[in-house]
Amino acid sequence: MLLSFADAELFFKLYRGLMSFVNEHLKILPQRGIDFATFLQVTPESRYKVHEAFVKAPQTIDLFLQKNPHQFSNEEMEIVSSWRHMVPGHFYVMKDYEKHALFLSVNGEVRVYGVLALTDPIGWVLQGRSLPVLTKTILLPFRDVIIYDGLLYSSHITFGGNIRKTLHEDLRLSIKSHGIITSLPDVKNGDGVKVEIQDKDTPEKKIPTLSIRTVLGMWHIKSMSAWDEDYFNEETQAYIQFSNRGQGSFQFGYVSGTIDYCINGKGRGGRAEFSWEGGDRADGTPLTGRGWAVLERDQLKGEIRIHQGDSSGFVAVRAKRTGK
């Protein structure tokens, strides 16, 4: 499961603010002019150095809370304050369920964490690789769920049958003894939330596999993060449509376009990625862009981006068939 678009934007705003402050305070990166507005523009490798410094100096959160250099609200600062309970280290990504992905801790006692993805499904971030995958990241509380810090460094090591069997047994025993930890701090002193997980995915718990067959057809857009319903349903009911020939179309408001799409990733990590060209019917401006979509239960969720323009997340439901 992904964070909502609004929550993901809020997380990146707050974490960017904290990390740019950590960089300035600890003088990690030598480049000049790296501030709140430009921090996410530096390379992931450079940002990783700042994240590592933050793990070694968590007291910088207290200084950040005292100074509040970006004038965050009280509610926003409460979220930042909760990051004192971060869990950094190595984790095996073991399962990717609809509710959350299961991260098996490597450092210290074996524990299982239920982790939500940010803007892209975990399977896609891991490029569709077969689980388990060894990663390094920082787990963070975000309100009442656990997320990762946006940098998921994964090893390309593949595991033999005996190691995979051992890891799955560790997963099963930890869940049986301690449950799945789904919030931080773990207020139950390591006991987590009791959830029964079978060794094999069941239809109720498995994330729907996105394929040409499952994405095919007309989807009515029910919400968009950038525009309200009065706008995106202005001319006709907003929709996105996929055909079985890698083509499709969409319309919201006065913007419409034709789609050229493909399915990238396998299994739970699959998503439809597309480019499009069209225009704004209101003024005749030609437009191009790109986007993506994933399945979550019976909803299609994704993003449509206008080249050098706006972008918006969307949620769509399959259109009901009419006639006999």
Side-chain angles (χ1 to χ4, degrees):
M1 180 181 291
L2 304 177
L3 281 182
S4 69
F5 293 108
D7 280 348
E9 288 179 357
L10 176 60
F11 165 72
F12 282 115
K13 168 189 169 182
L14 300 181
Y15 206 56
R16 176 182 61 182
L18 176 59
M19 290 298 102
S20 61
F21 177 82
V22 169
N23 178 58
E24 181 181 356
H25 180 67
L26 299 179
K27 297 178 172 54
I28 307 302
L29 301 180
Q31 300 97 318
R32 295 182 179 179
I34 297 176
D35 55 16
F36 175 70
T38 60
F39 182 77
L40 291 183
Q41 297 176 13
V42 303
T43 64
E45 290 75 16
S46 294
R47 283 186 278 132
Y48 179 75
K49 293 179 182 179
V50 180
H51 291 211
E52 287 284 275
F54 168 58
V55 169
K56 296 176 181 178
Q59 67 275 10
T60 51
I61 287 185
D62 295 323
L63 188 59
F64 181 86
L65 295 174
Q66 293 173 14
K67 293 181 176 293
N68 191 8
H70 308 301
Q71 301 301 303
F72 291 157
S73 69
N74 290 337
E75 180 183 0
E76 291 170 337
M77 292 298 273
E78 286 179 6
I79 294 174
V80 175
S81 178
S82 73
W83 293 342
R84 293 185 178 102
H85 304 292
M86 64 180 173
V87 181
H90 288 86
F91 305 86
Y92 291 98
V93 182
M94 298 295 298
K95 301 278 188 178
D96 190 9
Y97 290 106
E98 183 177 353
K99 187 175 182 180
H100 44 223
L102 299 187
F103 281 49
L104 180 69
S105 64
V106 175
N107 311 93
E109 292 186 86
V110 176
R111 291 290 186 268
V112 179
Y113 297 88
V115 181
L116 268 66
L118 301 174
T119 57
D120 295 305
I122 295 291
W124 185 86
V125 174
L126 297 176
Q127 300 178 335
R129 293 168 56 202
S130 179
L131 301 181
V133 172
L134 180 61
T135 66
K136 186 175 184 180
T137 191
I138 304 172
L139 301 186
L140 298 167
F142 187 86
R143 294 178 170 146
D144 58 348
V145 299
I146 299 175
I147 60 176
Y148 71 98
D149 71 345
L151 291 175
L152 197 63
Y153 275 80
S154 59
S155 166
H156 288 276
I157 297 173
T158 57
F159 303 105
N162 288 335
I163 294 178
R164 293 170 66 90
K165 183 177 179 180
T166 299
L167 291 174
H168 282 284
E169 182 66 8
D170 287 344
L171 179 75
R172 186 185 69 81
L173 291 175
S174 182
I175 291 175
K176 183 177 180 180
S177 299
H178 307 289
I180 299 173
I181 300 170
T182 57
S183 62
L184 295 172
D186 180 15
V187 296
K188 294 188 178 181
N189 194 29
D191 289 336
V193 177
K194 296 294 182 182
V195 179
E196 291 297 326
I197 300 291
Q198 299 178 9
D199 288 342
K200 294 184 178 181
D201 295 343
T202 62
E204 292 76 18
K205 293 174 181 176
K206 187 176 180 180
I207 294 178
T209 299
L210 190 145
S211 65
I212 292 178
R213 180 180 62 81
T214 56
V215 79
L216 194 67
M218 171 81 75
W219 298 79
H220 286 155
I221 296 175
K222 307 302 292 184
S223 65
M224 301 191 77
S225 61
W227 299 289
D228 61 28
E229 188 172 357
D230 288 340
Y231 169 74
F232 64 73
N233 285 331
E234 176 72 23
E235 278 203 325
T236 187
Q237 184 168 10
Y239 70 89
I240 185 167
Q241 184 175 23
F242 297 91
S243 77
N244 60 2
R245 296 181 181 273
Q247 304 295 315
S249 61
F250 72 87
Q251 181 176 341
F252 60 86
Y254 295 101
V255 177
S256 62
T258 57
I259 287 172
D260 183 1
Y261 79 94
C262 63
I263 305 298
N264 284 328
K266 299 178 180 179
R268 304 183 191 97
R271 74 177 192 172
E273 297 182 349
F274 57 87
S275 59
W276 64 269
E277 59 180 13
D280 188 328
R281 298 185 185 186
D283 56 16
T285 303
L287 299 171
T288 60
R290 57 193 174 91
W292 57 268
V294 297
L295 278 177
E296 288 191 12
R297 294 188 179 180
D298 57 350
Q299 295 183 329
L300 192 70
K301 297 184 178 182
E303 183 178 32
I304 297 176
R305 298 181 180 181
I306 300 173
H307 181 60
Q308 294 184 338
D310 295 322
S311 65
S312 178
F314 69 87
V315 177
V317 297
R318 189 177 291 280
K320 295 182 179 179
R321 295 181 180 272
T322 59
K324 294 184 179 179

